[in-house]
Amino acid sequence: MRPGVGGWSLRRRVITLLVVVGVLLLGLAAAEAAVAARNRTQIDAVLNQTGPLRVQSQELLNALLDQETAVRGYAVSGDPADLNPYREGIEQEKDLVASMGSLLDDYPQIGTELRIVEERSAQWRQSVAEPVISATERSGTAAGQALISEQARQQFDQLRAAVNDLQAEILTAREQAATNVRTSSNALVVLLIIAALVVVVAGAVLLLSLDRMVIRPLIVLADQVREVAKGDYQHHIATSGPPEFIGLGADVDAMRQRIAADLAEVQEARERIEFVNDQLQKQAEELTRSNRDLEQFAYVASHDLQEPLRKVASFCQLLQRRYAGQLDERADQYIAFAVDGAQRMQRLINDLLAFSRIGRLTTGFVEVDLNRVMGDVAGQTEAARQYADAELTWGPLPVISGEEPLLTNLLVNLVSNSVKFRRPDVPCKVHVSARLVGAEWEITCQDNGIGIEPEFADKIFVIFQRLHSKDAYPGTGIGLAIVKKIVEYHGGRVWVDTDVPEGTAIRFTLPALPADVEAAAAADAQEQPQDQEADGTTSAGDTAAGRTEPSDGSDQPDRVDETPESGRTGDMRETVG
């Protein structure tokens, strides 16, 4: 199949067909409108002109007969009351003539006949009716009857004949109008049939054209595309039909060639990736061994360094005590530097040893009550809080699955940091709270200390990273790195909330027990109907057990399924000072 004559596109062919059909239909529509208008005019002539004229002509004849009958009756009886039909007939005749005259613009012949009737009616009244009435009034009934002669009857018969001619002319006009109506109606039907034939023929031509120029080439193209889809990417796609389909086939074939080229590249890349994956797997195994060896080395090195450092620190301290004041000031300063360096190295090694032990030495996960853990944290940080006059409070905390020593170390590091980085002119306050978010407990340690700038929020969790000098705030810079490692070991994450109005809020998540999640879902299901009934009152979730509003700028837990333990004094507050 080749493109049509002149290489017309499918769009051009369809538009040409639609234009031709549209012109034909518009011409037929115009003809139908003209015929319909003429048909309406002809029907109007039948219904509103010739029909009323026929009826009024009969009424006119009746009015003339009433006049003639009234004149005869008055000539016989002499009673003036018998003349009432005569007078009423004259008035009726005038009204009918006027009404008929208004309908005779298109019928001049009928107008002529009507004028003849008027003339003969006037002559009859002048020569017969009026003389009879005058004679009867003057001389009695005998005189009136004498004037009603054969000639008078013939004159009225001529009037009646004129009316009959008028009716005949009206009937002829009506029949002609009816014929015109039938002719125009038939023409309208013929035009409608022609229009329907044009639509049917156009639809058939369009259907055949679509089958020849669209459906068949599309089927051929689809068959070739299926061959390519089955994996024969070297199959050349050739199309026929209108220029659009030829261009589409060329585009599809170009896409096939591009896909074939891409597949070749993908195959080559896959081979390279497999090779790289093998190398990465080997490197990962090597890195795992290296990390294991490094952890073992860090543990052994830090453990074995303890004894030499203790000796160095002990002898330096011994020198400091024995020879203090006996040497010059610079010697005392050097000894102090040595003691301080040995002590800091000892603390650094201890922290590094603790960091390396996280996740390596494990006792297994058990259910841990964080309320009891906070009691231990309060005891371990009592000396530091007493020195800083710090206040430690905590809200109801959950029971989670984890290692209690690690969780205790986690909270001790957070509370110690809050106490360490306090503002000197503000009493230190530390608050620990928890809330259930989805299937995790989000635990927050918030204080009113010096705070952390947002740009350093991630840096503080890197090992040995410090934001302040060791003279301003002592420490090894490994505490928050230990916190992060413990949290990640328990399957959570830790971050700094930079949106708090003052101080620092460090938040971390720990997986919740399934029972807590199910209880929270059941509570939500019960609270939803109550929220709908309240309609603007306090939310049921805000007053349900296990949820409290934040107070004093600290977060409270969303849900706690347990009754708070009394691991603290009074209302969960531990104040030392």
Side-chain angles (χ1 to χ4, degrees), residues 382-392 419 422 426-430 574-577:
E382 181 178 1
R385 290 185 292 109
Q386 183 176 8
Y387 175 78
D389 193 17
E391 178 184 4
L392 172 62
V419 174
R422 64 188 181 277
V426 177
C428 179
K429 293 183 179 180
V430 184
E574 183 77 17
T575 304
V576 179

Side-chain angles (χ1 to χ4, degrees), residues 119-196:
E119 292 172 357
R120 290 183 181 182
S121 173
Q123 290 174 1
W124 175 79
R125 281 193 295 272
Q126 183 177 4
S127 60
V128 176
E130 294 298 333
V132 170
I133 293 172
S134 299
T136 301
E137 289 177 349
R138 291 193 306 270
S139 304
T141 59
Q145 291 177 3
L147 294 177
I148 302 175
S149 61
E150 184 65 24
Q151 182 180 0
R153 284 193 292 271
Q154 290 178 357
Q155 190 173 359
F156 188 79
D157 289 340
Q158 292 176 357
L159 174 59
R160 181 180 294 177
V163 174
N164 290 335
D165 293 340
L166 173 64
Q167 290 180 336
E169 188 64 31
I170 292 174
L171 181 60
T172 301
R174 185 175 184 278
E175 290 177 353
Q176 182 62 39
T179 301
N180 294 335
V181 169
R182 287 191 294 272
T183 302
S184 60
S185 298
N186 293 335
L188 187 61
V189 171
V190 170
L191 289 175
L192 290 174
I193 293 173
I194 293 174

Side-chain angles (χ1 to χ4, degrees), residues 249-482:
D251 292 339
V252 173
D253 190 64
M255 181 175 65
R256 174 196 63 80
Q257 297 175 9
R258 179 64 181 272
I259 291 174
D262 290 344
L263 285 176
E265 294 178 1
V266 168
Q267 184 64 29
E268 184 180 354
R270 180 181 298 173
E271 294 175 356
R272 291 198 302 268
I273 290 173
E274 290 177 355
F275 174 76
V276 172
N277 284 337
D278 292 339
Q279 297 298 319
L280 289 177
Q281 183 67 26
K282 295 178 181 179
Q283 291 180 5
E285 294 175 357
E286 183 66 26
L287 184 61
T288 301
R289 288 194 300 269
S290 175
N291 286 337
R292 186 168 57 249
D293 294 341
L294 284 175
E295 289 181 358
Q296 183 67 23
F297 172 77
Y299 174 75
V300 172
S302 59
H303 186 272
D304 292 344
L305 284 175
Q306 294 288 340
E307 181 60 27
L309 276 176
R310 277 197 297 269
K311 287 184 179 180
V312 171
S314 298
F315 280 106
C316 287
Q317 290 172 357
L318 183 61
L319 285 173
Q320 189 178 36
R321 287 195 300 269
R322 178 169 297 181
Y323 297 103
Q326 299 180 19
L327 303 176
D328 59 6
E329 183 179 355
R330 185 175 296 275
D332 291 340
Q333 186 180 13
Y334 289 164
I335 294 174
F337 286 160
V339 171
D340 180 66
Q343 291 175 347
R344 285 194 296 108
M345 178 62 75
Q346 203 165 20
R347 289 194 299 269
L348 186 61
I349 290 175
N350 287 332
D351 289 343
L352 185 61
L353 182 62
F355 184 81
S356 66
R357 285 174 176 172
I358 297 174
R360 189 170 59 86
L361 301 178
T362 176
T363 59
F365 280 18
V366 295
E367 291 189 358
V368 179
D369 185 359
L370 294 184
N371 295 294
R372 185 176 66 252
V373 170
M374 279 305 300
D376 296 339
V377 171
Q380 293 184 30
T381 60
E382 181 178 1
R385 290 185 292 109
Q386 183 176 8
Y387 175 78
D389 193 17
E391 178 184 4
L392 172 62
T393 61
W394 62 92
L397 300 177
V399 175
I400 64 169
S401 178
E403 293 191 24
E404 184 170 348
L406 293 181
L407 295 173
T408 303
N409 191 9
L410 163 67
L411 292 171
V412 165
N413 273 291
L414 292 177
V415 173
S416 298
N417 263 15
S418 296
V419 174
K420 181 194 300 183
F421 296 101
R422 64 188 181 277
R423 287 183 290 175
D425 55 341
V426 177
C428 179
K429 293 183 179 180
V430 184
H431 183 78
V432 179
S433 61
R435 65 184 183 123
L436 186 61
V437 180
E440 294 180 323
W441 284 103
E442 181 183 291
I443 302 173
T444 303
C445 179
Q446 184 170 357
D447 59 56
N448 61 346
I450 62 175
I452 299 175
E453 295 297 330
E455 58 266 25
F456 302 121
D458 295 327
K459 184 179 179 181
I460 62 173
F461 295 104
V462 180
I463 190 170
F464 300 134
Q465 290 293 326
R466 300 176 55 90
L467 303 183
H468 307 278
S469 65
K470 65 179 183 297
D471 296 331
Y473 294 98
T476 59
I478 201 173
L480 290 180
I482 292 176

Side-chain angles (χ1 to χ4, degrees), residues 526-543:
Q526 293 177 357
E527 290 168 3
Q528 288 177 358
Q530 297 177 3
D531 292 341
Q532 295 174 358
E533 294 175 1
D535 190 22
T537 59
T538 303
S539 171
D542 294 335
T543 57

Side-chain angles (χ1 to χ4, degrees), residues 530-566:
Q530 297 177 3
D531 292 341
Q532 295 174 358
E533 294 175 1
D535 190 22
T537 59
T538 303
S539 171
D542 294 335
T543 57
R547 285 190 182 181
T548 59
E549 289 294 330
S551 61
D552 296 332
S554 58
D555 296 333
Q556 296 295 331
D558 286 348
R559 296 180 187 86
V560 175
D561 299 325
E562 308 83 28
T563 302
E565 299 288 342
S566 58

